[in-house]
Amino acid sequence: MNEYKFSDIYVGLTESFEAKITSEMQDRFLKICGDINPLHIEEEYARQNGFAYRVVYGLLTSSFYSTLVGVYLPGKYCILHGIDIQFSAPVFIGDVLKVTGKIIYINDAYKQLEIKAFITNQNNKKISKSIIKTGLLHE
Amino acid sequence: MNRDEIFSGVQEIFRDIFDEDDLIIEYSTNSDSIEDWDSLNHINLVSAIEKEFKIKFALGELLTLKDVGAMIDLMLVKLK
């Protein structure tokens, strides 16, 4: 786990990591949130609606934005203030996602960081992008 | 940049942050005047003003501000 302090942070600082989506993740997410929409749990329904396979929950893939800030950038001392997410492509079980975040703005007075982040799949296609705002527990 | 131009820019920032296209602010507007003006939105306001006007605030300067008018007075000094 990274432990960036406020004094370590600069505009342009970038971190990334990879994660593979498994069927177990999809099933666990269903148990957590109870979203029984058939697009996420029925292969046939997904195919009938133009998708090759059942679609992974968008908020499951977006949970990696939490990992990005909580573990990598800034890491241990992060306090999440907000996330604005836009989805651009579906994710399927077995996809390998790369999550990348870069510091784009620092509010020195209130010690808030603004991070531009995005997730790509194994084909380098962007599946979502986000603007994340975080505070820091440590100066 | 004069006081009216700054006020107009700040008004647009308030409308964006609070998602109210017809929000009207006054020099006396403060955090008691707008229901959603909480601590996080306050930080968002300051960041948006810093970025739009290309200025930076110190925490000590912000702690003394009592309303929009005081903020604009401070901005006038920084933009001279």
Side-chain angles (χ1 to χ4, degrees), chain A:
Chain A
M1 178 180 291
N2 290 332
E3 299 184 8
Y4 287 111
K5 299 170 186 171
F6 190 77
S7 56
D8 300 323
I9 300 290
Y10 56 90
V11 171
L13 179 60
T14 301
E15 290 284 352
S16 65
F17 68 97
E18 288 190 351
K20 183 175 183 178
I21 301 294
T22 66
S23 59
E24 184 185 16
M25 288 177 178
Q26 181 86 333
D27 295 342
R28 285 187 174 186
F29 195 85
L30 168 61
K31 284 181 182 168
I32 290 168
C33 71
D35 180 356
I36 57 170
N37 187 291
L39 197 61
H40 301 302
I41 57 179
E42 294 179 15
E43 297 282 7
E44 186 59 30
Y45 181 85
R47 273 195 289 272
Q48 288 170 356
N49 286 279
F51 297 95
Y53 309 98
R54 59 179 174 144
V55 177
V56 172
Y57 295 100
L59 290 186
L60 191 167
T61 65
S62 296
S63 70
F64 294 118
Y65 288 128
S66 176
T67 309
L68 174 69
V69 297
V71 178
Y72 293 91
L73 185 66
K76 182 177 178 179
Y77 304 118
C78 173
I79 290 286
L80 183 59
H81 287 176
I83 307 183
D84 184 11
I85 304 168
Q86 290 185 328
F87 300 103
S88 49
V91 173
F92 303 109
I93 290 164
D95 283 357
V96 178
L97 305 181
K98 183 177 182 182
V99 186
T100 304
K102 180 170 79 172
I103 302 289
I104 59 167
Y105 191 74
I106 300 170
N107 182 321
D108 293 304
Y110 292 119
K111 306 221 174 335
Q112 187 190 63
L113 310 177
E114 203 167 302
I115 299 161
K116 188 174 187 178
F118 60 91
I119 301 176
T120 52
N121 66 15
Q122 64 279 2
N123 300 316
N124 207 29
K125 183 171 182 60
K126 192 176 286 185
I127 64 104
S128 73
K129 62 180 180 179
S130 69
I131 297 292
I132 309 172
K133 293 181 178 178
T134 78
L136 273 171
L137 293 174
H138 203 305
E139 295 197 0

Side-chain angles (χ1 to χ4, degrees), chain B residues 60-77:
Chain B
E61 296 172 325
L62 296 167
L63 292 176
T64 61
L65 302 179
K66 65 181 192 327
D67 56 23
V68 168
M71 169 64 92
I72 288 173
D73 287 342
L74 176 59
M75 292 171 68
L76 269 169
V77 172

